[in-house]
Amino acid sequence: MGSLDPAAVRLLDENAEVRREAVEALDTSVPPGRYALRQALLTDEDAEVRASAARRLGEARDDRFVPALLEALGDPLPSVRDRAWRALARMGAQSLLPQASRALREEPVWWVRRAAIRAAASVAGSGALELLLEALEDPFWRVRNAAVQALGWLGDAEPLVRQRVGAMAEGSRKGAVRAAAVYLEGVWSGVASSPGAPGSSSQPGPELFPRGMEALDNEDPAVVTARLERMPSSDVPVSALVKWLGDPHEPLRTLARRLLRERRDAEALRLAMRWLDEPRVPHAADEVRALLERLDLDDVALASRILDEPPRPGAVGHAAWLAARRAHAGLLERVRPLVQHPEPAVRRAALSGLVHDPESRVVVLAALEDPDEAVRGTILSAWERRPVAQDALETYARALVAFAPRARSPRERRAVAEAAALLEDEAVLSQALEDVEPSVRAVALAALAARGVLSDAEVRAASEHEDPWIRAAVLNVESARVACDDDPDLSVRRAAMSLLMSRRHELRPHEVRSVALAGSRLPDPWIRARAAGLLRAEGEREELSALLRLSLDTSPMVRAAAASALEVCETLDERLAGLLHGPEREQAEDLRVSAYTWLLRQADGAAFERLCAALRDSTEPARVASHLEALTLVFPDEAFEAVPDLHRRRPTRPQRGTASPARVVPEPSPHTSQRPLGQTGLNLSPLVLSGAHGLPARSLAEAHEAGVNAFFWEPRYAELTRFLRSGRIRRDGLVVVAGTYHSGAEAIRRDVRAALRLLRTDRLDVFLLFWVRSRERLDAENFEALEALRAEGKVRAFGFSTHHRDIALEALRQHPWPVVMTRHSAAHPGAEAAFFPEALARGTGVLTFTATCYGRLLRPAPGEPPDLPLPSAVDCYRYSLSQPGVGACLTAPRNHRELRQNLEVLERPWMMPDVLAAMRTHGERVRASNQRFNALVRQAPGGTRDTLLALLDEDEPPSDAPTQRMRRERG
């Protein structure tokens, strides 16, 4: 039996947590480990597993896995795409460049675009110049800054880079591009310039709001939402409603969408559809699609108007989809010519609808000759979904086979091979055998092997190939029997077992038995479960023994499969009795335990007689006797009245009462010193634990037992919600910090009611107005609404969170706000002088967040000695907690390891004076580095490529949960 890496077995476990641990434990120093990572990257259901697999493949630096990583760039979740870009950069894969160009235009997540341009710059250097220049126009500033960093480094060494940046700035009307050019000129000349230097500002745009509508022009979207709800929708400019479809504030987007739908204005909808052409602005395109799905308009008339105008890809895509869905001949006739449009994006949009129209099949398949790979990809997507109708399937297949000589990408060549397999085209399949991409060769090998046209030498070479896809492709009944037991890759073993299960009729009975017995001993529970399905309880004694052993398996699916095989045996009782008491009495204790369990399963009179006989048998081993005594509890008490000697051997069990005993809830650790939250009367732990990253219940419980009594909660934090409702912790002494992104008395009350209902509680301990960005959000109406809720006992304390110290100070001077949550770290120490003293003097409770400055305090700052010790996250929390007046600090660990580290704060929630001074100095440098990009790009060691790789390593992406609200919690 060939050995398997135990981690490779766990990597295919049903439990995602087990797979997440396994992907980190795999041995990648040998090929089987790397191939297992490839399989996980492309097939695992869990995004965290796929992302970890991408990262580890990048660390392995094996060029054979570049195609798999390129394929992962199309993963549905951004965390996986981000890790794939980083891995490709680490491997120096030049083939990422075309993908990076497309990602810059179409990738919807900013931090994935940032990874893409950094990966391209690290691989191609000045060869990525045009891409970097294009990135200067990105709508998100962090992506533009990444491009500036790379351009700064490249321009230091190459005058051409400087010339191109200057030329682009002269021809651009965008302020961000001109500001970047001014800044870069300062970097290259040695005189640092601000991105806001003269000449960098953009021309003022048209006013969004007409005179008299200035109330809607507010920095805080919650204020805008509240005011908008009170206004007649007809008074609001359409341009503003369309703009708000791309706002980060969800309530404002939702309201804007509702108002646009109520207007039933075709012109407004056509304007809104322009968002479909800008995937880089989060939410906007999805909001427009949601709007279009709920139209109360003549959608055919709208599609017709769209097609009357100069084509825009997003609008054309909608019209094409509608035409195909309605099978509207007139609209379809107008969409088909757009497949020949000069712009690839328009051609793709037209095809995205036409692929669903049977009458357009000829036009669609002719687009396989399109020069743009992305356009051809639209047809490939339709093929990969597999047309349902057989004639459509064959038509697609014939077109793909005809396209074979011009197929370029691995995806195209794989589709051609699949089509040739369907049509049994041996000539095309034979050509595919020479393909450099193993997935293409595997398709061809499998098809030719099934037809029996491969030579023995070809089959032998494939069977001995290093790549498991190749080995699996040529499995037959004979080779599968060996592979199931000996192949170094578990996916091949599973493929072999599946083949043997499907073709068991070709095997002799003793061969089936041999396969099943061997499979029953393998470490993979999936294979053991299938092996149980091949075993017969009425067969050889060895088969019965194997089933009895499998019925005790740790895996539920194995136990279930074994039980199914045992239950169908009509002579099971006789066979079990023979095994237990016959001439060849079974000696193995585990088998005797299992056999008795099954023999007594009916718990009837005959079973009771067998149990009594077995209990009186003094030769039974102690373990078996103990199990028999436990089985007495299956039988009714009355049955033992006639056998008092056996009644005494029954295990004692508690009498059933009418009520369950009170649940013992663990108290928090007594060593943790809780701190007062201003004058609210609340005492809370130094750390407020956020549920933003979905920590499981066991982690939350461990934190509470360590002394955390304060939790930051939002309705979307499902794991924290379940934990707080579970009864695992005492409600008394617990501090739940919740809040609202809305403004206005009714909206605030609505969110409080919703929070109370979700948490199944009668009060909230602290309720905040989240993310305050303007003074109007803290007006008398909102303050009085919160004060009334406190008087009613629904909230114990209230306040607001903000980044703006000036707004916070002004608010405290106008109203006695009990709690303020504000940004603070060694890199953002302004609150220490400008806000904390005022809050302390007024008795205002202070919570802080972003203590690590989004992780930047954990990394070296430019100018620091390389051997200078760096602070940990614990140090960052202690720094903030050491400031007078700070009650607690928000922490949002992403995993259990980070949580365990952060809990060290509870032992000593303050920083030693000598360390405090060093922390301030480090924070000053980090703050300065954020304002001087030249320090980042000039002084980093190792050259451009190493610098950009380091930046990729430094910038950890957010989780796949909504990120806008998380950024303030990442401290």
Side-chain angles (χ1 to χ4, degrees):
M1 182 185 300
S3 62
L4 281 173
D5 181 351
V9 178
R10 299 196 302 276
L11 190 57
L12 294 179
D13 194 273
E14 292 180 322
N15 189 320
E17 288 289 340
V18 174
R19 300 200 303 277
R20 291 170 190 170
E21 174 274 327
V23 76
E24 300 295 343
L26 266 175
D27 180 8
T28 58
S29 65
V30 292
R34 298 195 286 274
Y35 284 115
L37 287 175
R38 180 185 68 180
Q39 191 73 12
L41 172 65
L42 298 178
T43 64
D44 198 281
E45 295 178 352
D46 184 73
E48 188 173 332
V49 173
R50 299 198 303 275
S52 296
R55 173 178 52 79
R56 297 212 64 205
L57 281 174
E59 292 167 353
R61 288 181 167 85
D62 188 332
D63 289 344
R64 289 174 294 183
F65 300 101
V66 166
L69 288 163
L70 289 170
E71 188 169 338
L73 296 178
D75 193 277
L77 288 196
S79 61
V80 183
R81 300 196 298 272
D82 176 87
R83 285 298 177 188
W85 283 114
R86 295 165 184 254
L88 289 164
R90 189 174 294 277
M91 298 166 74
Q94 293 281 334
S95 49
L96 66 77
L97 291 174
Q99 301 283 350
S101 179
R102 181 175 175 183
L104 187 57
R105 297 188 300 272
E106 300 179 9
E107 169 59 55
V109 179
W110 69 263
W111 40 273
V112 180
R113 295 199 301 280
R114 181 181 65 182
I117 65 170
R118 282 183 171 162
S122 71
V123 166
S126 60
L129 176 58
E130 297 304 319
L131 182 70
L132 295 172
L133 292 173
E134 185 179 353
L136 293 177
E137 299 185 345
D138 194 274
F140 198 78
W141 68 271
R142 290 184 184 272
V143 180
R144 298 195 300 270
N145 285 356
V148 167
Q149 289 174 339
L151 287 168
W153 237 104
L154 295 170
D156 257 351
E158 301 189 38
L160 174 63
V161 173
R162 304 186 194 189
Q163 295 170 10
R164 286 288 293 117
V165 169
M168 182 176 184
E170 289 178 5
S172 176
R173 298 179 60 187
K174 296 192 176 182
V177 174
R178 297 165 63 191
V182 170
Y183 173 78
L184 284 168
E185 286 299 328
V187 171
W188 292 324
S189 66
V191 179
S193 300
S194 165
S200 66
S201 60
S202 58
Q203 295 295 324
E207 290 188 7
L208 186 62
F209 302 103
R211 190 176 301 278
M213 300 293 293
E214 294 85 355
L216 294 177
D217 188 12
N218 191 278
E219 289 294 322
D220 196 314
V223 173
V224 176
T225 305
R227 292 175 175 175
L228 185 59
E229 286 178 331
R230 300 167 184 168
M231 296 177 61
S233 63
S234 57
D235 290 349
V236 184
V238 165
S239 58
L241 293 174
V242 171
K243 169 182 174 290
W244 288 326
L245 292 176
D247 195 274
H249 189 62
E250 183 179 2
L252 181 55
R253 296 198 310 271
T254 302
L255 179 58
R257 171 161 44 89
R258 176 169 65 81
L259 295 176
L260 282 168
R261 187 172 66 247
E262 290 172 356
R263 285 197 171 191
R264 304 180 61 192
D265 185 338
E267 292 302 318
L269 290 172
R270 288 164 58 224
L271 180 62
M273 289 175 72
R274 297 199 174 188
W275 278 124
L276 297 175
D277 297 324
E278 182 45 279
R280 299 174 298 176
V281 174
H283 315 298
D286 290 337
E287 291 291 349
V288 173
R289 293 187 187 99
L291 176 63
L292 292 170
E293 287 173 4
R294 294 168 178 82
L295 276 178
D296 189 18
L297 282 173
D298 184 344
D299 49 6
V300 172
L302 176 63
S304 181
R305 293 191 65 175
I306 288 170
L307 296 174
D308 285 339
E309 299 174 345
R312 299 181 65 92
V316 167
H318 175 72
W321 171 81
L322 179 69
R325 189 184 69 169
R326 295 289 187 88
H328 194 288
L331 291 178
L332 287 167
E333 195 63 33
R334 297 174 65 187
V335 170
R336 289 176 190 131
L338 294 176
V339 174
Q340 305 296 327
H341 194 273
E343 291 185 28
V346 173
R347 301 200 296 272
R348 284 172 58 196
L351 285 167
S352 68
L354 294 176
V355 293
H356 301 289
D357 173 43
E359 300 301 319
S360 301
R361 198 171 298 149
V362 174
V363 174
V364 167
L365 293 175
L368 282 170
E369 304 299 331
D370 195 282
D372 187 273
E373 183 179 335
V375 175
R376 301 194 299 272
T378 308
I379 297 97
L380 295 183
S381 295
W383 164 255
E384 289 160 356
R385 291 191 297 267
R386 291 295 187 271
V388 176
Q390 184 63 29
D391 65 324
L393 189 65
E394 293 178 359
T395 302
Y396 266 81
R398 285 192 293 271
L400 283 165
V401 167
F403 170 64
R406 295 168 296 285
R408 300 177 183 87
S409 69
R411 183 189 183 194
E412 292 174 348
R413 302 197 303 273
R414 186 164 58 242
V416 167
E418 292 166 349
L422 178 72
L423 299 175
E424 300 181 348
D425 189 322
E426 293 183 11
V428 174
L429 290 171
S430 296
Q431 292 174 356
L433 289 180
E434 307 300 322
D435 200 285
V436 296
E437 167 58 32
S439 65
V440 179
R441 295 206 306 278
V443 171
L445 282 166
L448 292 172
R451 291 181 57 76
V453 298
L454 292 176
S455 67
D456 291 342
E458 288 173 322
V459 172
R460 185 166 54 255
S463 299
E464 297 171 355
H465 199 278
E466 187 179 61
D467 194 310
W469 288 349
I470 302 297
R471 297 197 301 274
V474 295
L475 285 172
N476 54 36
V477 171
E478 182 179 350
S479 63
R481 292 177 58 191
V482 178
C484 194
D485 202 37
D486 285 334
D487 197 276
D489 189 275
L490 187 55
S491 66
V492 178
R493 293 194 185 199
R494 288 191 174 189
M497 177 57 82
S498 295
L499 181 104
L500 292 169
M501 291 281 293
S502 65
R503 297 172 63 179
R504 71 180 81 179
H505 60 279
E506 299 179 23
L507 297 172
R508 298 184 180 90
H510 74 275
E511 291 174 330
V512 174
R513 183 168 61 252
S514 175
V515 167
L517 291 172
S520 71
R521 296 187 290 269
L522 291 176
D524 180 22
W526 188 93
I527 292 181
R528 294 200 302 276
R530 271 68 186 173
L534 294 174
L535 291 168
R536 298 168 58 252
E538 65 271 20
E540 300 290 334
R541 175 163 170 168
E542 195 176 8
E543 292 183 75
L544 176 61
S545 297
L547 284 170
L548 291 172
R549 187 170 283 109
L550 291 172
S551 73
L552 301 174
D553 200 275
T554 57
S555 169
M557 70 173 169
V558 178
R559 296 197 301 272
S564 296
L566 289 166
E567 287 168 351
V568 298
C569 178
E570 296 180 356
T571 59
L572 182 61
D573 289 354
E574 291 80 357
R575 300 216 64 197
L576 292 172
L579 182 144
L580 289 166
H581 309 297
E584 297 182 8
R585 174 184 170 116
E586 178 60 58
Q587 299 300 316
E589 293 182 10
D590 60 334
L591 290 183
R592 296 190 69 80
V593 164
S594 180
Y596 272 122
T597 301
W598 280 93
L599 187 63
L600 306 177
R601 67 192 181 282
Q602 299 295 339
D604 54 13
F608 186 71
E609 291 179 7
R610 294 190 185 103
L611 174 64
C612 293
L615 285 169
R616 292 180 174 125
D617 185 351
S618 60
T619 64
E620 289 292 356
R623 178 189 171 193
V624 179
S626 176
H627 182 68
L628 289 167
E629 291 170 357
L631 287 175
T632 62
L633 298 176
V634 176
F635 295 84
D637 296 341
E638 299 78 17
F640 289 89
E641 293 176 356
V643 285
D645 59 320
L646 299 183
H647 186 273
R648 291 191 294 272
R649 296 181 62 180
R650 300 186 82 191
T652 58
R653 59 181 174 182
Q655 295 294 321
R656 291 183 180 176
T658 56
S660 301
R663 185 173 188 173
V664 177
V665 180
E667 294 283 356
S669 175
H671 69 260
T672 302
S673 58
Q674 295 183 355
R675 301 150 68 100
L677 184 60
Q679 296 178 358
T680 63
L682 297 172
N683 292 311
L684 70 173
S685 51
L687 292 179
V688 179
L689 181 58
S690 170
H693 294 288
L695 288 175
R698 64 180 178 85
S699 298
L700 298 169
E702 180 175 327
H704 182 256
E705 290 167 12
V708 173
N709 78 323
F711 295 88
F712 184 87
W713 176 86
E714 292 190 36
R716 61 190 175 86
Y717 298 169
E719 291 290 339
L720 181 57
T721 301
R722 283 192 286 269
F723 176 73
L724 294 173
R725 298 193 314 196
S726 67
R728 297 180 63 170
I729 53 179
R730 296 182 187 276
R731 184 63 178 92
D732 293 339
L734 196 68
V735 177
V736 176
V737 181
T740 177
Y741 291 94
H742 290 92
S743 183
E746 182 53 40
I748 291 171
R749 281 189 168 274
R750 183 173 62 241
D751 283 354
V752 168
R753 288 194 300 268
L756 293 173
R757 183 177 64 254
L758 282 170
L759 291 174
R760 298 176 186 169
T761 186
D762 59 353
R763 71 183 188 278
L764 300 171
D765 301 286
V766 180
F767 194 79
L768 303 175
L769 302 179
F770 287 150
W771 205 358
V772 170
R773 284 171 275 180
S774 75
R775 293 165 177 80
E776 290 80 2
R777 180 91 176 278
L778 303 176
D779 60 10
E781 178 189 356
N782 286 347
F783 181 87
E784 291 165 5
L786 290 165
E787 186 65 78
L789 287 164
R790 180 168 65 172
E792 296 166 16
K794 291 184 171 63
V795 301
R796 297 174 67 188
F798 62 87
F800 60 90
S801 71
T802 185
H803 284 248
H804 303 285
R805 296 188 300 273
D806 55 340
I807 292 177
L809 277 170
E810 184 177 327
L812 290 189
R813 292 164 183 164
Q814 290 182 347
H815 301 287
W817 290 91
V819 180
V820 174
M821 187 166 79
T822 189
R823 176 180 67 173
H824 175 253
S825 70
H828 293 108
E832 295 170 20
F835 179 70
F836 292 163
E838 183 86 11
L840 184 61
R842 293 176 178 273
T844 302
V846 174
L847 304 174
T848 62
F849 59 93
T850 64
T852 67
C853 190
Y854 308 107
R856 288 192 281 271
L857 283 167
L858 310 181
R859 302 191 290 267
E864 288 185 334
D867 56 347
L868 185 71
L870 290 173
S872 65
V874 171
D875 295 323
C876 296
Y877 294 122
R878 285 175 176 160
Y879 175 85
S880 191
L881 291 166
S882 297
Q883 310 306 318
V886 173
C889 193
L890 195 65
T891 180
R894 291 170 294 185
N895 51 52
H896 191 73
R897 176 182 55 80
E898 289 186 3
L899 171 67
R900 294 288 295 272
Q901 293 171 351
N902 294 352
L903 291 178
E904 295 176 18
V905 173
L906 303 181
E907 298 286 347
R908 179 171 56 81
W910 65 86
M911 182 167 272
M912 298 299 184
D914 56 332
V915 183
L916 202 65
M919 188 72 176
R920 283 198 177 97
T921 301
H922 176 65
E924 290 169 2
R925 288 173 176 154
V926 170
R927 181 171 177 79
S929 72
N930 292 339
Q931 299 171 343
R932 300 194 316 270
F933 293 137
N934 60 322
L936 285 173
V937 296
R938 270 191 164 178
Q939 299 174 15
T944 306
R945 173 168 164 72
D946 289 344
T947 300
L948 292 165
L949 286 175
L951 286 169
L952 278 168
D953 289 339
E954 288 175 2
D955 287 312
E956 286 295 319
S959 73
D960 286 323
T963 60
Q964 194 66 29
R965 300 178 187 174
M966 281 188 194
R967 283 199 285 272
R968 67 186 181 285
E969 300 166 10
R970 290 289 298 277

